[in-house]
Amino acid sequence: MQIVYCHQGKEALFHSDEPQIIVGRSKKGVAVELDLTPDERVSRPHARLWMENELIWIEDLDSKNGTQLNGAEIKGQGKRRLRAGDSLRIGDTILRLQLPAAIDPLLKAFLEAPGDVEAERALDDLLEYADELIRGVIRKKLGVFLDERRAARGAEKPEEEEAQNIYSDAILSLVKKLRRDREQLRCGVAFKPISNFRNYVYTVAHHAFDRHLAVKYPIRLALKDRLRYLLRPHPKRRPIRCALWTSEEGAQLCGLAQWQHQQDFDCSRSLQEVKNDARVLGEGELPSDDAALLEAIFRWAGHPVELEELTGVVAELRDLQEVIFVNEASQAAGDADSPGERGSHIEDAVAPQAGPETAVEWDQLQRLLWKAICRLSLGQRRAFLLHEPVTAEFEANGIVSRDEIAAQLEMPPEELERLWKELPIEDNDIARRFGDSRGVVIKRRFDARRRLEDELLEDELLGDELRGDDL
């Protein structure tokens, strides 16, 4: 527990790992952990703070002058929950819970934001920062530049679709983690903080890539997991002279154990040579033992290599024909949207045969959806309407006019007219048009879909109740 307290303009920091602390002024026979001497309006003891079920609580100990929590008196009212950022007044001293020192300072504006609007603005800034880091991992893994504008619209190439899916997965994972941390911090719930946001973003991007492999290339991922297992020390296995570690960019590097703390290497040898001709290892027949094979590869290379690249080489040497190398993939990653981006009610509004049984119900569903869209924030409306196929359905089915859609986008009608034939447009194009990053656009559409689904479900349940009342 870490508390900043201030009396007569003098600020101090208190830290304790104990589950309970007593606040007051010390005297013989009275033990206090946080001593607010010389504030004479503080009783001895004055208040108690403690952890219970991973939440932080405070209780006034029948003090003379009482205790205020965010300006409200709590004396005589039992225990009260204390959240990060709450203000306590004990005597003439002001106290606040502070973020743990381990949290990256980049996250302070988001985690300590006083309200949801400020928090979302800070989250957008974090996603702007993360955007290029995630793109960099994708460029390295797939050789795809997500920020390049395609010369012609046409269909996406398979590797572009893969890259888009990985990027969306990484962004949404990041958004969920950051929002969960903020909520747990505000509730006083213990959580594992992000101490290095840059490295965490790299890790999230690599994990998103691995999840992509798990679905599309299960054999390759199984091999990668086996190599990872062999490269880590284990008490029941014979020691090996190899190791696995993580670079500052979040990539998993492997090589001889003594290389972990070295910086300069001669990287003139490429593992592509081993893939082309295994005889360069000078081993005659390849070692049947995978651990021995890894050591032979490292000694030949003379420098650390990425685990991903090593996996490809071993797959080639072991003749795993089922493995499809990502850079050479010719099949799309699949048609499923990113996690959390699909909702049955929204899809029903586009494809009536999949949901509503009558034209009347379909029309009603689309009108409810449009009303719910109008209640979204401007950023959410733009991210949703310019990307989703249901937008064209609204006009085609007479739900709203094109001018009404332009009004909700806060866009001149003639500008929407020029865009109409291109709908739905890509996230990159939406981001460029409104000066956002692609990650911010994805986050806003994710929030929009979640809110729309909740509202449509609520309307559906309300409709069921009303129909029940008529029976």
Side-chain angles (χ1 to χ4, degrees), residues 401-417:
S401 68
R402 198 173 298 185
D403 285 353
E404 289 175 284
I405 296 173
Q408 287 300 321
L409 293 170
E410 294 191 11
M411 178 183 291
E414 56 272 17
E415 185 177 352
L416 180 60
E417 191 69 33

Side-chain angles (χ1 to χ4, degrees), residues 144-161:
V144 174
F145 289 79
L146 281 177
D147 50 350
E148 286 187 343
R149 188 190 296 269
R150 293 198 302 273
R153 182 164 177 79
E156 282 186 325
K157 296 178 181 178
E159 58 270 24
E160 289 175 335
E161 186 176 350

Side-chain angles (χ1 to χ4, degrees), residues 262-325:
Q262 291 180 236
Q263 299 294 326
D264 298 322
F265 293 94
D266 177 6
C267 298
S268 58
R269 285 185 166 180
S270 168
L271 293 193
Q272 185 62 43
E273 296 179 49
V274 180
K275 290 173 65 175
N276 294 338
D277 186 359
R279 290 174 296 180
V280 299
L281 295 177
E283 298 284 333
E285 290 188 6
L286 287 177
S288 58
D289 178 67
D290 285 338
L293 176 60
L294 296 185
E295 188 171 341
I297 292 173
F298 296 145
R299 293 194 180 281
W300 176 85
H303 60 81
V305 297
E306 285 199 23
L307 178 60
E308 188 65 42
E309 184 181 10
L310 179 67
T311 303
V313 171
V314 175
E316 185 83 9
L317 296 178
R318 294 304 191 204
D319 196 25
L320 297 179
Q321 300 293 336
E322 298 88 348
V323 176
I324 304 174
F325 292 96

Side-chain angles (χ1 to χ4, degrees), residues 7 12 20 35 51 55 67 84 121 130 132 159 184 197 204-205 210 226 253-254 263 276 288 290 337-338 355 419 458:
H7 178 249
Q20 173 177 286
D35 188 351
M51 293 283 295
L55 302 177
T67 301
R121 192 177 298 122
E132 184 54 38
E159 58 270 24
Q184 290 176 324
F197 184 61
V204 166
D210 283 345
R226 169 161 174 75
L253 300 179
C254 47
Q263 299 294 326
N276 294 338
S288 58
D290 285 338
D337 286 343
S338 299
L419 273 178
E458 185 177 335

Side-chain angles (χ1 to χ4, degrees), residues 50-267:
W50 73 100
M51 293 283 295
E52 180 182 318
N53 297 326
E54 296 188 329
L55 302 177
I56 300 177
W57 301 85
I58 183 170
E59 181 179 28
D60 183 273
L61 298 178
D62 197 26
S63 65
K64 179 179 179 180
N65 295 307
T67 301
Q68 291 184 2
L69 172 58
N70 296 326
E73 181 61 54
I74 63 170
K75 179 181 176 180
Q77 298 183 24
K79 68 179 185 179
R80 288 301 180 91
R81 190 168 164 185
L82 193 60
R83 297 171 170 83
D86 281 349
S87 174
L88 288 171
R89 187 180 187 92
I90 295 179
D92 291 326
T93 303
I94 304 298
L95 305 90
R96 287 183 184 275
L97 277 180
Q98 193 182 58
L99 290 175
I103 294 180
D104 191 316
L106 283 172
L107 304 177
K108 281 179 68 71
F110 170 68
L111 295 175
E112 294 183 329
D116 291 341
V117 173
E118 295 87 351
E120 286 304 302
R121 192 177 298 122
L123 179 56
D124 286 351
D125 291 339
L126 290 173
L127 295 182
E128 294 275 1
Y129 177 87
D131 176 76
E132 184 54 38
L133 302 181
I134 297 173
R135 291 173 187 269
V137 171
I138 292 173
R139 279 197 297 270
K140 189 170 184 179
K141 294 287 190 181
L142 292 176
V144 174
F145 289 79
L146 281 177
D147 50 350
E148 286 187 343
R149 188 190 296 269
R150 293 198 302 273
R153 182 164 177 79
E156 282 186 325
K157 296 178 181 178
E159 58 270 24
E160 289 175 335
E161 186 176 350
E162 290 176 336
Q164 300 279 8
N165 289 338
I166 293 169
Y167 181 94
S168 297
D169 187 3
I171 285 291
L172 292 177
S173 295
L174 195 58
V175 168
K176 291 173 183 177
K177 163 65 176 172
L178 291 172
R179 284 178 171 164
R180 184 169 61 249
D181 282 3
R182 171 175 160 80
E183 181 61 26
Q184 290 176 324
L185 185 69
R186 287 170 59 82
C187 294
V189 177
F191 68 100
K192 185 177 180 180
I194 299 174
S195 59
N196 187 316
F197 184 61
R198 181 184 181 87
N199 286 354
Y200 185 81
V201 173
Y202 279 129
T203 300
V204 166
H206 283 283
H207 285 175
F209 184 78
D210 283 345
R211 286 192 292 273
H212 166 74
L213 287 182
V215 174
K216 189 175 179 185
Y217 312 103
I219 297 178
R220 182 188 179 97
L221 186 65
L223 174 61
K224 185 177 181 180
D225 286 342
R226 169 161 174 75
L227 298 184
R228 187 184 288 115
Y229 171 79
L230 291 173
L231 289 164
R232 286 177 173 154
H234 193 281
K236 294 185 179 181
R237 296 201 315 268
R238 68 177 180 83
I240 64 169
R241 292 179 285 274
C242 305
L244 177 69
W245 63 97
T246 303
S247 71
E248 291 184 357
E249 291 75 29
Q252 289 192 300
L253 300 179
C254 47
L256 299 180
Q258 63 264 31
W259 293 347
Q260 289 188 68
H261 306 294
Q262 291 180 236
Q263 299 294 326
D264 298 322
F265 293 94
D266 177 6
C267 298

